[in-house]
Every structure is written in structure tokens, then in C-alpha cells.
Amino acid sequence: MTVKTTVSSKDIDEAFLQIKDIVKETPLQKDHYLSQKYDCNVYLKREDLQWVRSFKLRGAYNAIVALDEKDQQNGITCASAGNHAQGVAYTASKLNLNAVIFMPVTTPLQKINQVKFFGGSNAEVILTGDTFDECLKEALIYTEDNKMNFIDPFNNIYTIAGQGTLAKEIIEQSNEDNVHFDYLFAAIGGGGLISGVGTYFKTHSPQTSIVGVEPAGASSMYTSVVLENKIVTLSDIDKFVDGASVARVGQITFDISKNVVDEYVQVHEGAVCSTILDMYSKQAIIAEPAGALSVAALDQYKEKIKGKSVVCVVSGGNNDINRMKEIEERSLLFEEMKHYFILNFPQRPGALREFVNDVLGPKDDITKFEYLKKSSQNTGTVIIGIQLNNHNDLANLKSNVDAFDKSNIYINENKMLYSLLI
Ligand SMILES: Cc1ncc(COP(=O)(O)O)c(C=O)c1O
């Protein structure tokens, strides 16, 4: 028997019939704020409003119902940084199957709790490994040992076909508005979403350019397809965009992406943070980092998309409220609004007032001030955080800090010191 390793638009139509009573048809909304900002027609496919707050339910459900009765009864396992796990847990509970769900220990608490909530007594959660890939290894060993069935988060034709069903909805919904998209932007982690969506668009809307968006610190599909022309494992990834931070894409998703993705773009993690905050304040949308990737990519396409019709898949909205401080901090750093220095500070009355008068602009603010060492010396070492009112004032700030203490250290550009001290 030959194993099927590719997906057609017909497979996606069939998946749609399988899952349509379980998944929500999510809205395709014209976004007036983004349309005005980029002088084009921007639509958002709101998968953050899906039952488990991400598209992942589509693929998970489709892959599980594709198992035969006996395999279903043996139970299912998965490895996931969060959203696929929620899809598997939700499905296990709906179909009354046993699920064992492996999640990296770095998974945000909100996602772990949601998995437990959706899975109820049908799902057991095991936290293991620092990255998705380490977690995956453990899950595969357990699956083999217990003769269960592993539901792959992306490298499975049924998972991919399930994810593709959202493209079918986009095309039907946009036909109602008589809109034809010039560009589609969607996040890439392991590549299941882009493979499914890209496949459906290539058949039903071939004029649409498919743009795959990856975090700059984990661009495994771009590296594999464009730079190396073979699958490579990234040795060091930034895990911040948890859903899309995957070190190694799948063989099936690699092969499909080669054919259906027209362009790749990488987005800095700080830009993702600014987009999350913007979506929250301007559009009242709660996007998680991977969910905001597609919208964050528009800035790099400003010129290309002018006057065009664009759809961004807002792929997930599971944002842990405890991450908001970090998101704000990363955004301010990226926007060059927040700056940290170590400097020698005179230990005498009036020194702080002098610093404020001589170094800061009238609307700048001190956000951190910490003595590292109080000594009997004339000066103490201080870590100071300054929030500028205007990022163009950075050169001025640096030269004022130099004048105050020429041996100061600027921490923003020193990753090691930054993570140690801030
Ligand atoms: C919100 C969100 N967006 C995008 C992705 C990337 O999907 P894929 O791994 O299918 O490329 C994920 C994966 O977990 C996700 O959770």
C-alpha cells in the first residue's frame, strides 16, 4: 500500500464535510483600521474566535475522525505547544476518547489550563522538554510503548486538510462580497496551516499570492525551502512566538509549501508585540503572538499591497494575560522607546535631580532605578531604565548619558546583560 503524502483541494472539501458540525464558521471581516493604515482592503479571517480560539481544532478533529474505530479506542496522543493540544483535547472530549497530551514545560499557563478544561476527564497532560521538538521525542516514545495513535500537529495529510477548510470558508465568504484577494498572509510554524490554505487557494484562487510569515527567530520553513532546499533543523530558536516557533518543519509540509507558498517573510518578535498591542487597542482583538504574525507582516508589504485586496489569517487568540508586561516591554524595546544603561552615579544629595535635568528630555521618564552596589565610595553602580517620549531622541539621550558618565554601558544591545539584569 502506498501512503498518501499530499493533499488536494478535494481532500479539503471532504474534510470540510467531516468537521463542519464541530468547528465554527469564523467571520471574515473587513478591517477598516488596517485598510486605512495601508491604503488597501484588508480582511481578517478571525480564527481567534474559533471554539478553542485557534484554527487548530480543524486539523485535530479531522485527523482523529480519520482513524478507524479500533485505533480511536486505543487512545490518542499529541505533542503541542498549546493550540493543537486544545484541539485534540476538545475532540477527545466530544468523541469520548482517551488522550494523553504532551506539552513543553515552557507552555504558557493559560494554554495548559485550557487543555485541561476542554479535555476534562478524557485528557491527561504531561509537561516535558524545553522546546516543542524535545517534547515531541518524548510523546513518540510514549505512543509506541502504549500502542496509541499520535496525532501530528502539522505533518499529517488529515491535519493539513483540516486546516485547509478555513480557506474554503474564506473563498466562499469573499465571493459573497465579490472580493478577490491579491495576497493571503498566514503564519508558519510546522507548516500545516500554510500547506492546507495554500493548496486550496492554488485551485480556487490561483491569482492570490500566498505569503508565509515566520518569526525572525524561528524561520525554519524559509531556511529549509529557500536557503537550503532541504529540511534543516534550526539549532537555536527564539521561543517567544510559541505557536510558530518550530525548529524543524515536516517532510509533507515542506514538499507542499515548496509548491504553494509564493513568498516568505520574517517578522521581528518586537514587531509582533507592537502588533498585538495595536490590535488590542485599535481593533479590540486579542491575538496571541502567532495569531498576530500575519498582520505584523503587512508593514513589510506597505508598497506592494497599496490599492490591493489582502486577507490575513488571525490564527489564534490564546494570549496569557501574564505575558502582557513582557509584550509591552518587547514592543517598547523594538520601537526604540525604552533604553537601559548601567552607570556610575554620584552618591550625594541632588545627584538624581541633576541626572533628570541634564540627561532626560522634559517628557522622558525613568522606569527603573536600581543600585547594584552601595559602597563607601563616592559613586554607586546603577541600572537605569528610561522611556523616551520620542524614539528620535535616542542619539541625544546617549550623548547626555555619556556626558554624565563616560564609562556607562548601554544594555539594550547586549543580549546577555539584558537577560541577566532586566
Ligand atoms: C495560533 C497559531 N498560529 C499559527 C500556527 C502555525 O501553524 P502550523 O504549525 O500548522 O504552521 C500555530 C501552531 O501551533 C498556532 O498555534
Side-chain angles (χ1 to χ4, degrees):
M1 191 182 83
T2 53
V3 179
K4 195 164 175 286
T5 56
T6 194
V7 177
S8 67
S9 81
K10 205 164 141 281
D11 296 325
I12 295 169
D13 287 325
E14 278 166 20
F16 186 78
L17 294 177
Q18 286 284 5
I19 70 171
K20 71 178 183 6
D21 296 330
I22 291 292
V23 305
K24 198 188 268 187
E25 176 180 327
T26 54
L28 177 71
Q29 294 172 339
K30 173 151 181 181
D31 189 285
H32 295 284
Y33 166 68
L34 292 171
S35 299
Q36 199 176 25
K37 182 172 175 185
Y38 293 110
D39 194 14
C40 65
N41 263 329
V42 179
Y43 282 72
L44 301 181
K45 177 64 170 165
R46 298 288 308 276
E47 284 295 300
D48 56 307
L49 300 177
Q50 187 51 261
W51 291 126
V52 297
R53 287 205 236 139
S54 88
F55 70 97
K56 284 275 176 173
L57 175 59
R58 297 172 182 270
Y61 189 84
N62 193 50
I64 292 167
V65 291
L67 296 174
D68 64 29
E69 177 80 21
K70 187 169 156 288
D71 282 342
Q72 287 187 8
Q73 290 314 317
N74 284 345
I76 49 184
T77 61
C78 74
S80 162
N83 286 331
H84 176 62
Q86 290 185 42
V88 170
Y90 187 96
T91 307
S93 164
K94 280 268 172 240
L95 301 176
N96 194 23
L97 305 175
N98 285 335
V100 181
I101 292 170
F102 289 77
M103 305 180 83
V105 282
T106 47
T107 308
L109 189 62
Q110 186 267 356
K111 286 187 176 166
I112 299 168
N113 288 339
Q114 286 294 93
V115 168
K116 292 181 177 166
F117 170 72
F118 288 124
S121 59
N122 291 89
E124 179 192 348
V125 174
I126 296 180
L127 297 175
T128 179
D130 272 349
T131 60
F132 167 72
D133 301 85
E134 288 167 22
C135 171
L136 173 66
K137 251 188 221 156
E138 293 283 326
L140 290 174
I141 294 168
Y142 181 96
T143 308
E144 181 87 25
D145 288 351
N146 292 280
K147 305 202 171 16
M148 292 172 85
N149 295 279
F150 182 75
I151 307 300
D152 200 291
F154 47 80
N155 202 41
N156 170 320
I157 56 163
Y158 296 100
T159 308
I160 294 168
Q163 321 304 27
T165 59
L166 75 85
K168 181 176 168 71
E169 289 178 17
I170 293 176
I171 289 192
E172 287 170 3
Q173 290 164 325
S174 60
N175 282 344
E176 283 166 22
D177 279 10
N178 211 10
V179 182
H180 303 287
F181 290 116
D182 300 294
Y183 286 95
L184 175 138
F185 292 83
I188 300 181
L193 172 64
I194 203 85
S195 296
V197 168
T199 297
Y200 204 79
F201 264 78
K202 285 297 160 209
T203 303
H204 295 277
S205 181
Q207 77 285 358
T208 307
S209 283
I210 306 296
V211 185
V213 190
E214 293 182 294
S219 55
S220 44
M221 190 66 88
Y222 171 73
T223 307
S224 298
V225 172
V226 179
L227 300 183
E228 302 284 340
N229 197 25
K230 66 172 191 293
I231 300 178
V232 289
T233 307
L234 302 182
S235 55
D236 184 23
I237 58 168
D238 184 328
K239 293 173 218 150
F240 176 73
V241 186
D242 50 315
S245 295
V246 173
R248 185 179 174 87
V249 301
Q251 184 65 54
I252 304 175
T253 54
F254 172 82
D255 290 339
I256 296 177
S257 295
K258 273 204 317 201
N259 292 324
V260 302
V261 180
D262 298 295
E263 295 172 37
Y264 292 89
V265 58
Q266 294 83 45
V267 179
H268 189 287
E269 283 70 11
V272 174
C273 292
S274 297
T275 303
I276 292 173
L277 297 175
D278 214 33
M279 289 172 83
Y280 182 78
S281 58
K282 302 276 191 352
Q283 299 139 288
I285 296 174
I286 299 172
E288 63 182 281
L293 264 180
S294 60
V295 174
L298 295 180
D299 251 4
Q300 296 183 47
Y301 273 73
K302 261 188 203 134
E303 296 307 322
K304 280 186 173 173
I305 60 179
K306 228 173 236 170
K308 308 265 178 179
S309 290
V310 167
V311 57
C312 295
V313 179
V314 180
S315 49
N318 282 304
N319 209 345
D320 192 331
I321 189 78
N322 295 318
R323 295 186 85 188
M324 278 323 252
K325 256 285 32 76
E326 186 195 356
I327 288 171
E328 197 184 357
E329 176 78 10
R330 280 185 178 246
S331 164
L332 286 168
L333 286 171
F334 176 72
E335 306 289 339
E336 298 192 330
M337 296 292 280
K338 207 159 185 185
H339 304 278
Y340 292 95
F341 299 87
I342 299 175
L343 42 84
N344 291 306
F345 218 87
Q347 294 198 112
R348 59 169 165 75
L352 180 58
R353 182 167 317 156
E354 261 166 43
F355 180 84
V356 171
N357 289 341
D358 297 349
V359 175
L360 302 189
K363 292 193 172 161
D364 299 339
D365 200 9
I366 295 180
T367 56
K368 185 180 181 86
F369 190 87
E370 215 175 90
Y371 272 104
L372 287 182
K373 181 180 72 155
K374 269 191 177 155
S375 65
S376 54
Q377 317 254 315
N378 293 338
T379 59
T381 313
V382 161
I383 300 174
I384 191 158
I386 296 162
Q387 188 165 328
L388 291 176
N389 183 51
N390 183 332
H391 71 102
N392 292 325
D393 293 339
L394 176 59
N396 205 24
L397 174 72
K398 278 183 165 173
S399 91
N400 290 348
V401 174
D402 284 344
F404 189 85
D405 170 20
K406 63 176 178 353
S407 60
N408 76 82
I409 301 169
Y410 180 52
I411 309 179
N412 288 49
E413 285 159 359
N414 188 325
K415 256 189 166 172
M416 175 102 102
L417 273 184
Y418 183 86
S419 62
L420 187 71
L421 300 173
I422 308 298

